[in-house]
C-alpha cells in the first residue's frame, strides 16, 4: 500500500507468470471457475475439479500459488473492471459475493491502496 509503483510492478509480474502457465493449467481452471462463480469457496471449486480442498491447495502450491491469493487476484480484476461501468459499489460487492459493501471497500483498499470511489473518480478524469 505504501509504494503503489512497486505494487503495480509486482501485479504485472504475477499476471505475466499466470499467463505463462497456459490455459490448461490448474491455475487457469480455478481462475475460470472463480470468474463464473465468485461466491464459491475453495471446497466448492475443488469439488468441481474433482479434488478435495486440501488437494487443490497442494496442487496450487506446486505452481507457487494459494487458493486465497488466486481468488483475491481474480476478484480484484473483476472489481476493477466492474468499477469502469455504471454499477454501484453495493451492486459490485453483492455480485462478487462480499457480505456487505463495507467488506468490499476494505478488500478493495487492501488490493488497490484506495477506495472504490477514489478509483472510479480517477478513471473519470
Amino acid at each position: 500500500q505504501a509504494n503503489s509503483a512497486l505494487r503495480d510492478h509486482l501485479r504485472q509480474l504475477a499476471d505475466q507468470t499466470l499467463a505463462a502457465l497456459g490455459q490448461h493449467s490448474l491455475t487457469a481452471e480455478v481462475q475460470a471457475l472463480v470468474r463464473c462463480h465468485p461466491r464459491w469457496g475453495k471446497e466448492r471449486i475443488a469439488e468441481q475439479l474433482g479434488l478435495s480442498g486440501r488437494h487443490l491447495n497442494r496442487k496450487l502450491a506446486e505452481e507457487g500459488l494459494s487458493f486465497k491469493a488466486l481468488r483475491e487476484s481474480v476478484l480484484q480484476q473483476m472489481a476493477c473492471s466492474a468499477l469502469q461501468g455504471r454499477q454501484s459499489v453495493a451492486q459490485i460487492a453483492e455480485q462478487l459475493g462480499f457480505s456487505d459493501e463495507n467488506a468490499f471497500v476494505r478488500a478493495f483498499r487492501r488490493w488497490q491502496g484506495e477506495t472504490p470511489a477514489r478509483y472510479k473518480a480517477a478513471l473519470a478524469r
Side-chain angles (χ1 to χ4, degrees):
Q1 291 178 348
N3 187 336
S4 62
L6 178 60
R7 182 194 66 233
D8 293 342
H9 177 69
L10 291 174
R11 171 74 52 206
Q12 183 180 17
L13 289 175
D15 291 343
Q16 289 171 353
T17 301
L18 290 175
L21 289 172
Q23 294 302 315
H24 300 290
S25 71
L26 179 63
T27 300
E29 291 181 60
V30 171
Q31 286 176 319
L33 283 169
V34 171
R35 276 189 199 94
C36 291
H37 309 283
R39 296 174 170 275
W40 286 6
K42 175 181 66 176
E43 295 299 327
R44 185 87 186 263
I45 297 285
E47 179 184 313
Q48 292 297 308
L49 298 170
L51 304 169
S52 70
R54 290 186 75 185
H55 193 65
L56 175 61
N57 269 345
R58 283 193 295 270
K59 297 289 261 178
L60 288 173
E62 291 173 8
E63 296 183 17
L65 298 166
S66 70
F67 177 79
K68 181 180 179 182
L70 187 59
R71 183 174 184 272
E72 291 233 337
S73 174
V74 171
L75 292 179
Q76 178 184 8
Q77 293 168 1
M78 292 175 70
C80 289
S81 293
L83 286 167
Q84 294 175 14
R86 295 189 177 267
Q87 290 179 298
S88 71
V89 173
Q91 290 170 321
I92 295 168
E94 168 74 20
Q95 178 185 6
L96 296 180
F98 285 87
S99 58
D100 59 32
E101 185 177 345
N102 289 331
F104 171 68
V105 170
R106 283 190 305 273
F108 192 86
R109 189 179 303 132
R110 187 176 65 247
W111 299 332
Q112 293 294 119
E114 62 186 346
T115 65
R118 284 185 188 252
Y119 181 85
K120 195 167 188 156
L123 290 174
R125 287 186 211 142

